[in-house]
């Protein structure tokens, strides 16, 4: 997608320091962090949301989740705990329509979320 913000970040056309990178997945810190650790883990491939995840992309989603776990380890929050969130469409508060997993940690989380 030419004009997708997160595609541009993945291609490094928009400046964002990548905190994780491999062939299929990149991660960067959220511009408006909601916790001491708040990163976004995305597939390089443009998938707008969970609703467009196709059969055959399960492995890619597994890679995104595995990257999130590695990043939690790298950030030193894996033992205390962390939360992975995928907002989907309006009622969940999705604002960027390129599938992303929020990695949140470094403080106690509340449940249920707001
Ligand atoms: P959503 O609400 O779609 O689940 O999450 C989108 C997230 O992207 C938000 O937490 C927002 O702060 C973050 N975000 C939006 N624009 C940018 C940007 O240009 N750079 C970075 N690093 N994060 C962004
Ligand atoms: Zn995109």
């Amino acid at each position: 997608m030419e004009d997708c913000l997160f595609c541009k970040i993945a291609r490094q056309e928009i400046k964002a320091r990548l905190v994780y990178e491999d062939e299929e997945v990149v991660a960067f810190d959220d511009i408006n962090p909601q916790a001491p650790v708040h990163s976004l883990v995305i597939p390089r491939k443009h998938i707008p949301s969970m609703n467009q995840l196709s059969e055959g992309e399960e492995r890619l989603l597994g890679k995104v989740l595995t990257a999130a776990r590695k990043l939690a380890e790298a950030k030193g929050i894996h033992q205390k705990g962390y939360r992975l969130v995928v907002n989907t469409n309006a009622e969940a508060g999705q604002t960027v329509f390129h599938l992303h997993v929020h990695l949140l940690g470094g403080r106690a989380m509340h449940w249920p979320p707001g």
Side-chain angles (χ1 to χ4, degrees):
M1 279 280 280
E2 282 302 305
D3 55 357
C4 167
L5 175 64
F6 284 1
C7 281
K8 285 181 180 170
I9 288 176
R11 292 194 299 259
Q12 291 281 269
E13 290 169 17
I14 290 178
K15 209 173 62 177
R17 194 175 66 86
L18 301 183
V19 294
Y20 177 88
E21 175 173 25
D22 66 31
E23 274 189 5
E24 290 171 286
V25 177
V26 303
F28 48 91
D29 291 336
D30 198 290
I31 202 168
N32 181 24
Q34 302 300 312
V37 172
H38 186 177
S39 302
L40 302 170
V41 188
I42 69 168
R44 290 184 187 273
K45 181 176 184 179
H46 182 82
I47 301 167
S49 82
M50 281 302 295
N51 288 347
Q52 287 80 33
L53 190 77
S54 320
E55 279 186 40
E57 288 174 335
E58 297 91 345
R59 191 166 170 279
L60 178 57
L61 186 59
K63 288 199 158 194
V64 171
L65 292 174
T66 301
R69 189 256 292 160
K70 287 179 184 170
L71 187 53
E73 289 173 4
K75 298 259 186 188
I77 58 170
H78 60 300
Q79 296 292 1
K80 279 193 163 178
Y82 56 91
R83 183 171 289 172
L84 302 179
V85 174
V86 182
N87 295 323
T88 304
N89 277 357
E91 282 209 349
Q94 186 177 7
T95 58
V96 177
F97 286 82
H98 179 127
L99 181 63
H100 52 280
V101 174
H102 294 257
L103 167 64
L104 294 150
R107 65 165 169 82
M109 299 284 158
H110 304 291
W111 193 265

